[in-house]
Short mmCIF file of all heavy atoms in Angstrom, two decimals:
data_model
loop_
_atom_site.label_atom_id
_atom_site.label_comp_id
_atom_site.label_asym_id
_atom_site.label_seq_id
_atom_site.Cartn_x
_atom_site.Cartn_y
_atom_site.Cartn_z
N MET A 1 70.10 150.88 15.30
CA MET A 1 70.60 152.21 15.68
C MET A 1 71.24 152.89 14.49
O MET A 1 72.09 152.31 13.84
CB MET A 1 71.62 152.05 16.79
CG MET A 1 71.61 153.18 17.77
SD MET A 1 72.86 152.95 19.02
CE MET A 1 72.36 151.43 19.79
N ASN A 2 70.82 154.08 14.22
CA ASN A 2 71.36 154.78 13.06
C ASN A 2 72.25 155.93 13.51
O ASN A 2 71.80 156.86 14.18
CB ASN A 2 70.21 155.31 12.21
CG ASN A 2 70.70 155.79 10.87
OD1 ASN A 2 71.91 155.93 10.66
ND2 ASN A 2 69.79 156.04 9.97
N TRP A 3 73.48 155.86 13.14
CA TRP A 3 74.44 156.88 13.58
C TRP A 3 74.77 157.87 12.49
O TRP A 3 75.77 158.53 12.53
CB TRP A 3 75.71 156.22 14.06
CG TRP A 3 75.51 155.57 15.38
CD1 TRP A 3 74.95 154.36 15.60
CD2 TRP A 3 75.82 156.11 16.66
NE1 TRP A 3 74.89 154.12 16.95
CE2 TRP A 3 75.42 155.16 17.61
CE3 TRP A 3 76.40 157.31 17.07
CZ2 TRP A 3 75.59 155.39 18.97
CZ3 TRP A 3 76.58 157.52 18.42
CH2 TRP A 3 76.17 156.57 19.36
N GLY A 4 73.96 157.93 11.48
CA GLY A 4 74.19 158.92 10.47
C GLY A 4 74.53 158.29 9.14
O GLY A 4 74.44 157.09 8.97
N PRO A 5 74.93 159.14 8.23
CA PRO A 5 75.07 158.70 6.84
C PRO A 5 76.38 157.99 6.54
O PRO A 5 76.69 157.76 5.39
CB PRO A 5 74.99 160.02 6.08
CG PRO A 5 75.58 161.01 7.02
CD PRO A 5 75.25 160.54 8.41
N THR A 6 77.17 157.68 7.55
CA THR A 6 78.52 157.22 7.25
C THR A 6 78.67 155.70 7.25
O THR A 6 79.71 155.18 7.57
CB THR A 6 79.52 157.82 8.26
OG1 THR A 6 79.02 157.62 9.56
CG2 THR A 6 79.73 159.28 8.00
N GLY A 7 77.65 155.01 6.92
CA GLY A 7 77.86 153.58 6.73
C GLY A 7 77.65 152.78 7.99
O GLY A 7 78.60 152.38 8.64
N THR A 8 76.44 152.54 8.35
CA THR A 8 76.17 151.78 9.56
C THR A 8 76.26 150.29 9.30
O THR A 8 76.22 149.50 10.22
CB THR A 8 74.78 152.12 10.09
OG1 THR A 8 73.87 152.01 9.00
CG2 THR A 8 74.75 153.51 10.63
N ALA A 9 76.39 149.91 8.06
CA ALA A 9 76.37 148.49 7.75
C ALA A 9 77.71 147.83 8.06
O ALA A 9 77.80 146.63 8.19
CB ALA A 9 76.04 148.29 6.28
N ARG A 10 78.75 148.66 8.19
CA ARG A 10 80.06 148.12 8.46
C ARG A 10 80.06 147.32 9.76
O ARG A 10 79.47 147.73 10.75
CB ARG A 10 81.05 149.28 8.58
CG ARG A 10 82.47 148.81 8.39
CD ARG A 10 83.39 150.02 8.39
NE ARG A 10 82.68 151.23 7.96
CZ ARG A 10 82.59 152.31 8.73
NH1 ARG A 10 83.13 152.35 9.88
NH2 ARG A 10 81.96 153.37 8.28
N SER A 11 80.70 146.21 9.76
CA SER A 11 80.72 145.42 10.98
C SER A 11 81.58 146.13 12.02
O SER A 11 82.61 146.70 11.71
CB SER A 11 81.27 144.04 10.69
OG SER A 11 82.57 144.13 10.19
N MET A 12 81.12 146.07 13.24
CA MET A 12 81.78 146.80 14.30
C MET A 12 83.01 146.06 14.81
O MET A 12 82.99 144.85 15.00
CB MET A 12 80.81 147.00 15.45
CG MET A 12 79.86 148.15 15.21
SD MET A 12 80.72 149.72 15.34
CE MET A 12 79.60 150.76 14.41
N VAL A 13 84.04 146.83 15.06
CA VAL A 13 85.24 146.26 15.66
C VAL A 13 85.06 146.29 17.17
O VAL A 13 84.58 147.26 17.73
CB VAL A 13 86.47 147.12 15.27
CG1 VAL A 13 87.72 146.57 15.93
CG2 VAL A 13 86.61 147.16 13.77
N THR A 14 85.45 145.24 17.81
CA THR A 14 85.39 145.22 19.26
C THR A 14 86.76 145.60 19.82
O THR A 14 87.77 144.99 19.47
CB THR A 14 85.00 143.83 19.78
OG1 THR A 14 83.75 143.47 19.21
CG2 THR A 14 84.87 143.85 21.29
N PHE A 15 86.77 146.62 20.66
CA PHE A 15 88.03 147.08 21.24
C PHE A 15 88.24 146.44 22.60
O PHE A 15 87.27 146.16 23.32
CB PHE A 15 87.99 148.61 21.41
CG PHE A 15 88.21 149.36 20.12
CD1 PHE A 15 87.17 149.50 19.20
CD2 PHE A 15 89.44 149.90 19.82
CE1 PHE A 15 87.37 150.19 18.02
CE2 PHE A 15 89.64 150.58 18.64
CZ PHE A 15 88.60 150.72 17.74
N ASP A 16 89.50 146.24 22.93
CA ASP A 16 89.83 145.70 24.23
C ASP A 16 89.88 146.85 25.24
O ASP A 16 90.73 147.72 25.14
CB ASP A 16 91.20 145.01 24.14
CG ASP A 16 91.60 144.38 25.46
OD1 ASP A 16 90.83 144.50 26.45
OD2 ASP A 16 92.68 143.79 25.50
N PRO A 17 89.00 146.85 26.22
CA PRO A 17 88.95 147.97 27.16
C PRO A 17 90.21 148.11 27.99
O PRO A 17 90.47 149.18 28.55
CB PRO A 17 87.73 147.66 28.03
CG PRO A 17 87.45 146.22 27.84
CD PRO A 17 87.98 145.85 26.48
N ASP A 18 91.01 147.06 28.09
CA ASP A 18 92.24 147.16 28.87
C ASP A 18 93.20 148.19 28.29
O ASP A 18 94.01 148.75 29.01
CB ASP A 18 92.95 145.80 28.89
CG ASP A 18 92.27 144.85 29.87
OD1 ASP A 18 91.41 145.32 30.64
OD2 ASP A 18 92.60 143.66 29.84
N GLY A 19 93.10 148.41 27.00
CA GLY A 19 94.02 149.36 26.39
C GLY A 19 93.48 150.77 26.35
O GLY A 19 94.13 151.65 25.79
N LEU A 20 92.32 150.99 26.92
CA LEU A 20 91.68 152.30 26.81
C LEU A 20 91.60 152.99 28.16
O LEU A 20 91.54 152.34 29.20
CB LEU A 20 90.26 152.15 26.23
CG LEU A 20 90.14 151.44 24.89
CD1 LEU A 20 88.68 151.34 24.49
CD2 LEU A 20 90.94 152.15 23.82
N THR A 21 91.58 154.31 28.12
CA THR A 21 91.37 155.05 29.36
C THR A 21 89.87 155.08 29.68
O THR A 21 89.03 154.74 28.85
CB THR A 21 91.87 156.49 29.20
OG1 THR A 21 91.06 157.15 28.22
CG2 THR A 21 93.32 156.52 28.73
N TRP A 22 89.57 155.55 30.88
CA TRP A 22 88.16 155.64 31.25
C TRP A 22 87.42 156.56 30.32
O TRP A 22 86.28 156.30 29.93
CB TRP A 22 88.02 156.11 32.70
CG TRP A 22 88.23 154.99 33.65
CD1 TRP A 22 89.33 154.80 34.45
CD2 TRP A 22 87.36 153.88 33.89
NE1 TRP A 22 89.17 153.63 35.16
CE2 TRP A 22 87.97 153.05 34.84
CE3 TRP A 22 86.12 153.52 33.38
CZ2 TRP A 22 87.37 151.87 35.30
CZ3 TRP A 22 85.53 152.34 33.84
CH2 TRP A 22 86.15 151.54 34.79
N ALA A 23 88.06 157.67 29.98
CA ALA A 23 87.40 158.62 29.09
C ALA A 23 87.09 157.99 27.74
O ALA A 23 86.03 158.20 27.17
CB ALA A 23 88.28 159.86 28.92
N GLN A 24 88.03 157.20 27.27
CA GLN A 24 87.80 156.54 25.99
C GLN A 24 86.69 155.50 26.10
O GLN A 24 85.87 155.35 25.22
CB GLN A 24 89.09 155.88 25.51
CG GLN A 24 90.12 156.88 25.04
CD GLN A 24 91.45 156.21 24.76
OE1 GLN A 24 91.90 155.34 25.50
NE2 GLN A 24 92.09 156.60 23.67
N ARG A 25 86.67 154.79 27.20
CA ARG A 25 85.63 153.78 27.37
C ARG A 25 84.26 154.42 27.48
O ARG A 25 83.25 153.82 27.11
CB ARG A 25 85.90 152.96 28.64
CG ARG A 25 87.07 152.02 28.45
CD ARG A 25 87.22 151.16 29.69
NE ARG A 25 88.60 151.21 30.16
CZ ARG A 25 89.04 150.58 31.25
NH1 ARG A 25 88.21 149.89 31.98
NH2 ARG A 25 90.30 150.67 31.60
N ASP A 26 84.22 155.62 28.05
CA ASP A 26 82.93 156.30 28.19
C ASP A 26 82.52 157.04 26.93
O ASP A 26 81.47 157.65 26.89
CB ASP A 26 82.99 157.31 29.34
CG ASP A 26 82.95 156.62 30.68
OD1 ASP A 26 82.64 155.42 30.71
OD2 ASP A 26 83.22 157.29 31.69
N GLY A 27 83.38 157.03 25.94
CA GLY A 27 83.05 157.78 24.73
C GLY A 27 83.32 159.26 24.87
O GLY A 27 82.86 160.07 24.08
N ASP A 28 84.07 159.64 25.89
CA ASP A 28 84.37 161.05 26.11
C ASP A 28 85.64 161.49 25.40
O ASP A 28 85.87 162.68 25.21
CB ASP A 28 84.55 161.34 27.59
CG ASP A 28 83.21 161.49 28.29
OD1 ASP A 28 82.23 161.80 27.60
OD2 ASP A 28 83.16 161.30 29.51
N ALA A 29 86.47 160.54 25.04
CA ALA A 29 87.72 160.88 24.38
C ALA A 29 87.90 160.01 23.15
O ALA A 29 87.45 158.87 23.12
CB ALA A 29 88.90 160.69 25.33
N CYS A 30 88.57 160.58 22.16
CA CYS A 30 88.84 159.83 20.94
C CYS A 30 89.70 158.61 21.27
O CYS A 30 90.67 158.70 22.01
CB CYS A 30 89.56 160.75 19.95
SG CYS A 30 90.18 159.87 18.50
N VAL A 31 89.33 157.48 20.71
CA VAL A 31 90.02 156.25 21.03
C VAL A 31 91.43 156.25 20.44
O VAL A 31 92.29 155.49 20.89
CB VAL A 31 89.20 155.05 20.53
CG1 VAL A 31 89.23 154.96 19.01
CG2 VAL A 31 89.69 153.76 21.14
N VAL A 32 91.67 157.10 19.47
CA VAL A 32 92.98 157.13 18.83
C VAL A 32 93.88 158.20 19.44
O VAL A 32 94.99 157.91 19.88
CB VAL A 32 92.84 157.40 17.31
CG1 VAL A 32 94.21 157.44 16.65
CG2 VAL A 32 91.97 156.33 16.67
N CYS A 33 93.40 159.43 19.51
CA CYS A 33 94.29 160.53 19.92
C CYS A 33 93.94 161.10 21.29
O CYS A 33 94.54 162.08 21.71
CB CYS A 33 94.26 161.63 18.85
SG CYS A 33 92.70 162.51 18.75
N HIS A 34 92.98 160.54 21.97
CA HIS A 34 92.60 160.94 23.33
C HIS A 34 92.00 162.34 23.41
O HIS A 34 91.82 162.86 24.50
CB HIS A 34 93.80 160.88 24.28
CG HIS A 34 94.35 159.51 24.46
ND1 HIS A 34 94.18 158.77 25.60
CD2 HIS A 34 95.07 158.73 23.61
CE1 HIS A 34 94.78 157.59 25.46
NE2 HIS A 34 95.32 157.55 24.26
N LYS A 35 91.74 162.94 22.29
CA LYS A 35 91.23 164.30 22.31
C LYS A 35 89.79 164.30 22.81
O LYS A 35 88.99 163.48 22.42
CB LYS A 35 91.30 164.88 20.89
CG LYS A 35 91.51 166.36 20.87
CD LYS A 35 92.08 166.83 19.55
CE LYS A 35 91.33 166.36 18.32
NZ LYS A 35 91.88 166.89 17.08
N LYS A 36 89.49 165.24 23.70
CA LYS A 36 88.13 165.31 24.24
C LYS A 36 87.32 166.43 23.60
O LYS A 36 86.11 166.51 23.77
CB LYS A 36 88.16 165.52 25.74
CG LYS A 36 88.69 164.31 26.47
CD LYS A 36 88.59 164.50 27.97
CE LYS A 36 89.16 163.29 28.68
NZ LYS A 36 89.21 163.50 30.13
N TRP A 37 88.00 167.32 22.95
CA TRP A 37 87.30 168.42 22.30
C TRP A 37 87.98 168.75 21.00
O TRP A 37 89.19 168.90 21.02
CB TRP A 37 87.24 169.64 23.22
CG TRP A 37 86.30 170.66 22.69
CD1 TRP A 37 86.62 171.76 21.94
CD2 TRP A 37 84.87 170.66 22.84
NE1 TRP A 37 85.48 172.42 21.63
CE2 TRP A 37 84.41 171.77 22.15
CE3 TRP A 37 83.97 169.79 23.47
CZ2 TRP A 37 83.04 172.07 22.08
CZ3 TRP A 37 82.64 170.10 23.40
CH2 TRP A 37 82.18 171.23 22.72
N PRO A 38 87.30 168.87 19.91
CA PRO A 38 85.86 168.58 19.80
C PRO A 38 85.55 167.13 20.11
O PRO A 38 86.36 166.25 19.87
CB PRO A 38 85.55 168.90 18.33
CG PRO A 38 86.86 168.79 17.63
CD PRO A 38 87.91 169.19 18.62
N ARG A 39 84.42 166.93 20.64
CA ARG A 39 84.00 165.62 21.07
C ARG A 39 84.03 164.62 19.92
O ARG A 39 83.59 164.93 18.83
CB ARG A 39 82.57 165.72 21.59
CG ARG A 39 82.33 164.97 22.85
CD ARG A 39 80.90 165.18 23.27
NE ARG A 39 80.38 163.92 23.78
CZ ARG A 39 80.71 163.42 24.96
NH1 ARG A 39 81.53 164.08 25.73
NH2 ARG A 39 80.22 162.28 25.36
N PRO A 40 84.59 163.44 20.18
CA PRO A 40 84.59 162.42 19.13
C PRO A 40 83.16 162.03 18.78
O PRO A 40 82.34 161.87 19.66
CB PRO A 40 85.35 161.25 19.76
CG PRO A 40 85.24 161.47 21.23
CD PRO A 40 85.19 162.95 21.43
N ARG A 41 82.92 161.92 17.49
CA ARG A 41 81.53 161.70 17.10
C ARG A 41 81.33 160.49 16.21
O ARG A 41 80.20 160.11 15.94
CB ARG A 41 81.02 162.95 16.36
CG ARG A 41 80.90 164.14 17.26
CD ARG A 41 80.52 165.37 16.49
NE ARG A 41 79.34 165.15 15.65
CZ ARG A 41 78.90 165.99 14.75
NH1 ARG A 41 79.55 167.11 14.55
NH2 ARG A 41 77.84 165.72 14.02
N VAL A 42 82.40 159.90 15.75
CA VAL A 42 82.24 158.78 14.85
C VAL A 42 82.38 157.48 15.63
O VAL A 42 83.38 157.25 16.31
CB VAL A 42 83.28 158.82 13.72
CG1 VAL A 42 83.05 157.67 12.75
CG2 VAL A 42 83.22 160.16 13.01
N ARG A 43 81.40 156.64 15.51
CA ARG A 43 81.46 155.36 16.21
C ARG A 43 82.33 154.41 15.39
O ARG A 43 81.96 154.04 14.29
CB ARG A 43 80.05 154.81 16.37
CG ARG A 43 80.05 153.56 17.20
CD ARG A 43 78.64 153.06 17.41
NE ARG A 43 78.70 151.85 18.22
CZ ARG A 43 77.65 151.24 18.73
NH1 ARG A 43 76.47 151.71 18.53
NH2 ARG A 43 77.80 150.15 19.45
N VAL A 44 83.47 154.03 15.95
CA VAL A 44 84.39 153.18 15.19
C VAL A 44 84.38 151.75 15.68
O VAL A 44 85.01 150.88 15.10
CB VAL A 44 85.82 153.73 15.25
CG1 VAL A 44 85.92 155.05 14.49
CG2 VAL A 44 86.30 153.88 16.67
N GLY A 45 83.68 151.50 16.76
CA GLY A 45 83.67 150.13 17.26
C GLY A 45 82.87 150.07 18.54
O GLY A 45 82.15 151.00 18.88
N ARG A 46 83.04 148.98 19.23
CA ARG A 46 82.31 148.84 20.48
C ARG A 46 83.18 148.09 21.48
O ARG A 46 84.19 147.50 21.13
CB ARG A 46 81.01 148.11 20.26
CG ARG A 46 81.20 146.70 19.72
CD ARG A 46 79.85 146.11 19.34
NE ARG A 46 80.02 144.81 18.71
CZ ARG A 46 80.13 143.66 19.39
NH1 ARG A 46 80.14 143.66 20.69
NH2 ARG A 46 80.28 142.53 18.74
N LEU A 47 82.73 148.10 22.70
CA LEU A 47 83.40 147.35 23.75
C LEU A 47 82.67 146.04 23.94
O LEU A 47 81.54 145.88 23.48
CB LEU A 47 83.38 148.17 25.04
CG LEU A 47 84.14 149.50 24.97
CD1 LEU A 47 83.97 150.26 26.28
CD2 LEU A 47 85.60 149.26 24.68
N PRO A 48 83.32 145.12 24.62
CA PRO A 48 82.64 143.83 24.84
C PRO A 48 81.29 143.98 25.53
O PRO A 48 80.41 143.15 25.36
CB PRO A 48 83.63 143.08 25.74
CG PRO A 48 84.96 143.66 25.41
CD PRO A 48 84.70 145.12 25.10
N ASP A 49 81.09 145.04 26.30
CA ASP A 49 79.79 145.24 26.94
C ASP A 49 78.83 146.02 26.05
O ASP A 49 77.77 146.44 26.47
CB ASP A 49 79.94 145.93 28.29
CG ASP A 49 80.37 147.39 28.15
OD1 ASP A 49 80.55 147.85 27.01
OD2 ASP A 49 80.52 148.05 29.18
N ASP A 50 79.27 146.26 24.81
CA ASP A 50 78.40 146.85 23.80
C ASP A 50 78.29 148.35 23.83
O ASP A 50 77.49 148.93 23.13
CB ASP A 50 76.98 146.26 23.86
CG ASP A 50 76.56 145.73 22.50
OD1 ASP A 50 77.46 145.49 21.67
OD2 ASP A 50 75.36 145.58 22.27
N SER A 51 79.10 149.03 24.65
CA SER A 51 79.05 150.48 24.57
C SER A 51 79.91 150.94 23.40
O SER A 51 80.80 150.24 22.93
CB SER A 51 79.51 151.11 25.89
OG SER A 51 80.63 150.44 26.39
N ALA A 52 79.63 152.14 22.94
CA ALA A 52 80.26 152.62 21.73
C ALA A 52 81.67 153.12 21.98
O ALA A 52 81.97 153.70 23.02
CB ALA A 52 79.43 153.75 21.14
N VAL A 53 82.53 152.88 21.01
CA VAL A 53 83.87 153.45 21.02
C VAL A 53 83.90 154.53 19.95
O VAL A 53 83.57 154.27 18.80
CB VAL A 53 84.93 152.37 20.73
CG1 VAL A 53 86.31 153.01 20.60
CG2 VAL A 53 84.94 151.33 21.84
N LEU A 54 84.28 155.73 20.37
CA LEU A 54 84.19 156.86 19.46
C LEU A 54 85.56 157.40 19.08
O LEU A 54 86.51 157.31 19.84
CB LEU A 54 83.38 157.98 20.11
CG LEU A 54 81.96 157.59 20.53
CD1 LEU A 54 81.29 158.74 21.24
CD2 LEU A 54 81.13 157.18 19.33
N ALA A 55 85.61 157.99 17.90
CA ALA A 55 86.83 158.65 17.46
C ALA A 55 86.44 159.93 16.74
O ALA A 55 85.31 160.07 16.28
CB ALA A 55 87.63 157.75 16.53
N CYS A 56 87.36 160.87 16.67
CA CYS A 56 87.06 162.06 15.90
C CYS A 56 87.14 161.71 14.41
O CYS A 56 87.67 160.67 14.02
CB CYS A 56 87.98 163.22 16.28
SG CYS A 56 89.72 162.84 16.39
N ALA A 57 86.60 162.58 13.62
CA ALA A 57 86.44 162.25 12.20
C ALA A 57 87.78 161.92 11.54
O ALA A 57 87.87 160.97 10.76
CB ALA A 57 85.76 163.42 11.49
N ASP A 58 88.81 162.70 11.85
CA ASP A 58 90.11 162.47 11.22
C ASP A 58 90.67 161.10 11.59
O ASP A 58 91.18 160.37 10.75
CB ASP A 58 91.10 163.54 11.65
CG ASP A 58 90.80 164.87 11.00
OD1 ASP A 58 89.95 164.89 10.07
OD2 ASP A 58 91.38 165.89 11.42
N CYS A 59 90.56 160.76 12.84
CA CYS A 59 91.11 159.48 13.28
C CYS A 59 90.28 158.33 12.73
O CYS A 59 90.82 157.29 12.36
CB CYS A 59 91.14 159.42 14.79
SG CYS A 59 92.25 160.62 15.52
N ALA A 60 89.00 158.50 12.68
CA ALA A 60 88.15 157.45 12.15
C ALA A 60 88.50 157.20 10.69
O ALA A 60 88.53 156.06 10.23
CB ALA A 60 86.68 157.87 12.27
N GLU A 61 88.82 158.27 10.00
CA GLU A 61 89.18 158.11 8.61
C GLU A 61 90.50 157.36 8.47
O GLU A 61 90.69 156.57 7.56
CB GLU A 61 89.27 159.49 7.95
CG GLU A 61 89.19 159.41 6.45
CD GLU A 61 89.12 160.78 5.83
OE1 GLU A 61 88.98 161.78 6.57
OE2 GLU A 61 89.22 160.86 4.60
N ALA A 62 91.39 157.62 9.42
CA ALA A 62 92.67 156.91 9.39
C ALA A 62 92.48 155.43 9.72
O ALA A 62 93.16 154.58 9.18
CB ALA A 62 93.63 157.56 10.37
N LEU A 63 91.54 155.17 10.60
CA LEU A 63 91.28 153.78 10.97
C LEU A 63 90.59 153.01 9.86
O LEU A 63 90.92 151.88 9.56
CB LEU A 63 90.39 153.73 12.22
CG LEU A 63 91.04 153.91 13.57
CD1 LEU A 63 89.95 153.94 14.63
CD2 LEU A 63 92.00 152.79 13.86
N PHE A 64 89.61 153.66 9.29
CA PHE A 64 88.81 153.02 8.25
C PHE A 64 88.77 153.92 7.03
O PHE A 64 87.82 154.68 6.86
CB PHE A 64 87.39 152.78 8.74
CG PHE A 64 87.33 151.97 9.99
CD1 PHE A 64 87.08 152.58 11.21
CD2 PHE A 64 87.55 150.60 9.96
CE1 PHE A 64 87.03 151.85 12.38
CE2 PHE A 64 87.50 149.87 11.12
CZ PHE A 64 87.24 150.48 12.32
N PRO A 65 89.79 153.88 6.21
CA PRO A 65 90.01 154.86 5.17
C PRO A 65 88.83 155.16 4.24
O PRO A 65 88.23 156.20 4.37
CB PRO A 65 91.18 154.30 4.37
CG PRO A 65 91.89 153.45 5.34
CD PRO A 65 90.83 152.89 6.25
N ALA A 66 88.48 154.33 3.37
CA ALA A 66 87.64 154.77 2.28
C ALA A 66 86.24 155.27 2.64
O ALA A 66 85.93 156.40 2.39
CB ALA A 66 87.57 153.68 1.24
N PRO A 67 85.40 154.47 3.23
CA PRO A 67 83.98 154.82 3.16
C PRO A 67 83.55 155.95 4.06
O PRO A 67 82.49 156.49 3.85
CB PRO A 67 83.28 153.52 3.60
CG PRO A 67 84.34 152.61 4.06
CD PRO A 67 85.65 153.30 4.00
N LEU A 68 84.36 156.34 5.02
CA LEU A 68 83.82 157.27 5.98
C LEU A 68 83.49 158.66 5.48
O LEU A 68 82.37 158.95 5.16
CB LEU A 68 84.77 157.38 7.18
CG LEU A 68 84.40 156.39 8.28
CD1 LEU A 68 85.34 156.59 9.46
CD2 LEU A 68 82.97 156.59 8.74
N ALA A 69 84.44 159.52 5.42
CA ALA A 69 84.12 160.93 5.25
C ALA A 69 83.70 161.29 3.83
O ALA A 69 83.19 162.36 3.59
CB ALA A 69 85.32 161.77 5.66
N LYS A 70 83.94 160.42 2.92
CA LYS A 70 83.73 160.84 1.54
C LYS A 70 82.52 160.20 0.89
O LYS A 70 82.22 159.04 1.11
CB LYS A 70 84.96 160.49 0.71
CG LYS A 70 86.14 161.36 1.06
CD LYS A 70 87.40 160.86 0.38
CE LYS A 70 88.60 161.56 1.00
NZ LYS A 70 89.75 160.69 1.10
N VAL A 71 81.92 160.99 0.09
CA VAL A 71 80.88 160.44 -0.76
C VAL A 71 81.51 160.27 -2.14
O VAL A 71 82.02 161.21 -2.73
CB VAL A 71 79.69 161.39 -0.86
CG1 VAL A 71 78.67 160.86 -1.86
CG2 VAL A 71 79.05 161.55 0.51
N VAL A 72 81.50 159.05 -2.61
CA VAL A 72 82.12 158.81 -3.91
C VAL A 72 81.09 159.04 -4.99
O VAL A 72 80.02 158.45 -5.00
CB VAL A 72 82.63 157.36 -4.00
CG1 VAL A 72 83.25 157.10 -5.36
CG2 VAL A 72 83.64 157.11 -2.89
N ALA A 73 81.46 159.93 -5.87
CA ALA A 73 80.55 160.20 -6.97
C ALA A 73 80.94 159.36 -8.17
O ALA A 73 82.10 159.38 -8.60
CB ALA A 73 80.61 161.68 -7.33
N PHE A 74 80.03 158.60 -8.64
CA PHE A 74 80.32 157.81 -9.82
C PHE A 74 80.16 158.68 -11.06
O PHE A 74 79.17 159.39 -11.18
CB PHE A 74 79.38 156.61 -9.91
CG PHE A 74 79.64 155.61 -8.85
CD1 PHE A 74 78.87 155.60 -7.69
CD2 PHE A 74 80.68 154.70 -8.97
CE1 PHE A 74 79.12 154.68 -6.68
CE2 PHE A 74 80.94 153.78 -7.96
CZ PHE A 74 80.15 153.78 -6.82
N PRO A 75 81.13 158.60 -11.94
CA PRO A 75 81.01 159.41 -13.15
C PRO A 75 79.84 158.93 -13.99
O PRO A 75 79.58 157.73 -14.08
CB PRO A 75 82.34 159.17 -13.87
CG PRO A 75 82.88 157.92 -13.30
CD PRO A 75 82.35 157.81 -11.89
N ALA A 76 79.17 159.87 -14.56
CA ALA A 76 78.04 159.51 -15.40
C ALA A 76 78.53 158.85 -16.67
O ALA A 76 79.58 159.22 -17.21
CB ALA A 76 77.24 160.76 -15.73
N ARG A 77 77.82 157.88 -17.10
CA ARG A 77 78.20 157.21 -18.35
C ARG A 77 77.34 157.67 -19.49
O ARG A 77 76.15 157.90 -19.32
CB ARG A 77 78.05 155.71 -18.19
CG ARG A 77 79.02 155.16 -17.19
CD ARG A 77 79.02 153.67 -17.24
NE ARG A 77 80.07 153.18 -16.33
CZ ARG A 77 80.58 151.96 -16.42
NH1 ARG A 77 80.17 151.15 -17.35
NH2 ARG A 77 81.51 151.58 -15.59
N PHE A 78 77.97 157.73 -20.62
CA PHE A 78 77.21 158.15 -21.80
C PHE A 78 77.13 157.04 -22.81
O PHE A 78 78.02 156.21 -22.87
CB PHE A 78 77.86 159.37 -22.44
CG PHE A 78 77.78 160.58 -21.54
CD1 PHE A 78 78.85 160.96 -20.78
CD2 PHE A 78 76.60 161.32 -21.46
CE1 PHE A 78 78.77 162.07 -19.94
CE2 PHE A 78 76.51 162.42 -20.64
CZ PHE A 78 77.60 162.80 -19.88
ZN1 LIG B 101 91.16 161.53 17.33
#
């Protein structure tokens, strides 16, 4: 499954559904800030039943700092 250019190779974190609301479990709300709009779009983990856990871009970046939102440009060498 390809979720876009943000690093699908990262191993998925499994979240405990007991700590999540129904909206969060359904992927309707950000797992961090509970925001439903704009819709969370970054898959930050999964549940034990393998459904996706989503977060908005800002929260995902806070959860997994470096690789997400940024493209690192390597300086050219001479
Ligand atoms: Zn959020």
Side-chain angles (χ1 to χ4, degrees):
M1 214 181 299
N2 191 348
W3 287 81
T6 49
T8 50
R10 199 174 334 121
S11 60
M12 279 289 159
V13 178
T14 303
F15 284 79
D16 182 359
D18 283 350
L20 304 178
T21 65
W22 279 107
Q24 288 172 318
R25 287 184 232 178
D26 285 348
D28 280 337
C30 171
V31 71
V32 179
C33 69
H34 297 253
K35 210 159 51 178
K36 291 185 181 174
W37 192 263
R39 223 178 140 75
R41 292 175 52 189
V42 183
R43 185 177 180 171
V44 292
R46 62 188 175 85
L47 297 176
D49 70 0
D50 234 20
S51 42
V53 174
L54 302 176
C56 46
D58 287 349
C59 295
E61 199 173 352
L63 278 175
F64 304 104
L68 268 183
K70 289 171 193 143
V71 174
V72 179
F74 291 98
R77 294 190 175 200
F78 293 100

